Every structure is written in structure tokens, then in C-alpha cells.
Amino acid sequence: MAWPKLWWMLGGLAALAALEAGSGLWVQSRKAAQTQPPAPYRTYTATGQVMNLKALGSDGCVVQVRLHQWVSLSDGFALAEMPQRGQLYTIGATPEQCLALEVALASAGELEDPKSPRHIYYQAGQWPGGEWRMLGNPSAPRGCGGL
């Protein structure tokens, strides 16, 4: 008679352990979802001239870009807020994006001559706090002629 009680208790412990493990996975996935950065509320893709590049160590860099021409805009721009030619934007970038920026500038031979125009093709997004950040790796513009 002791065996059925023992199996019953072991089955109950196994079910409790499975429930505990399942709830732990749910809590972990919930925490991961909460730590995802929010999405930008508007974005644009453009070509521009790199005016300044400031390294921030392990936090990436900050790029100051003079907009040449936007290629696409997301919803969310009022007419007065649309990017304008010649407007300066300060855009944050991750370390990977900063490296891609250096490669894009070097591929055009623009790092050797600090006086040469330093153009890029990039996508930026703005968060509700007003901060602009790169959305992907910038590249050298293609077929722009006399940028």
C-alpha cells in the first residue's frame, strides 16, 4: 500500500517542478520583452555629408550629418518637420554602425583627405524623447554624381 502513495507523491512533485519551470520560462520571456528598446516613432532614409564624428568608447559614436536629400520618410512627419536640405542632424550610433561608417568613408577614399566631402547613405529614427539614432549600418552613397 505504500507504493501507490509514493507514486502519487512523486507524480505530484514532478507536476509541481514542471509548473515551476514553466512559470520561470514565462517570467524570463516577459522580462526579455520588457527590456526591448522601444521602436522609433518616425524614420527617414537619406544621403548626407558627415560634418563631425565623435567617438563615445563602448557606447558607439555621435555623428553630425548635413542632410543632402531624403529618399524616404515614414508616417509621422508634419510638413514643417520634414528633413530639409542643408539641415544638420545629430545622430547616435552603435559601435557596429560607427565601424560601418568608417568603412563607408574609407571605401570612398574620404578618410585620407579631411577636406574632402564625406558622404553617406543612412537611415535614422527618432524616439519620443527627441533622440535620433541610426537604424542599420550606413554606407557610401551610390550613383550620386556631384554630391
Side-chain angles (χ1 to χ4, degrees), residues 68-79:
H68 177 68
Q69 181 177 358
W70 58 265
V71 178
S72 67
L73 296 175
S74 68
D75 293 335
F77 283 94
L79 186 58

Side-chain angles (χ1 to χ4, degrees), residues 1 3 24 27-28 38 63 71 74 84 88 132 139:
M1 288 292 205
W3 285 105
V27 168
Q28 287 176 348
V63 185
V71 178
S74 68
Q84 299 293 314
L88 289 175
W132 285 98
S139 62

Side-chain angles (χ1 to χ4, degrees), residues 52-143:
N52 193 9
L53 179 62
K54 180 181 178 186
L56 300 176
S58 64
D59 291 334
C61 62
V62 175
V63 185
Q64 189 177 42
V65 178
R66 182 177 308 276
L67 187 118
H68 177 68
Q69 181 177 358
W70 58 265
V71 178
S72 67
L73 296 175
S74 68
D75 293 335
F77 283 94
L79 186 58
E81 297 171 325
M82 291 175 69
Q84 299 293 314
R85 183 182 185 113
Q87 185 173 352
L88 289 175
Y89 285 92
T90 300
I91 305 169
T94 66
E96 179 185 332
Q97 293 162 342
C98 298
L99 181 59
L101 176 61
E102 289 180 29
V103 169
L105 296 175
S107 71
E110 296 176 346
L111 284 179
E112 291 82 24
D113 182 6
K115 293 183 180 180
S116 79
R118 301 164 16 159
H119 294 101
I120 59 170
Y121 176 78
Y122 67 100
Q123 184 178 24
Q126 187 178 33
W127 272 255
E131 177 186 20
W132 285 98
R133 300 220 29 103
M134 289 252 176
L135 300 176
N137 292 340
S139 62
R142 306 253 189 266

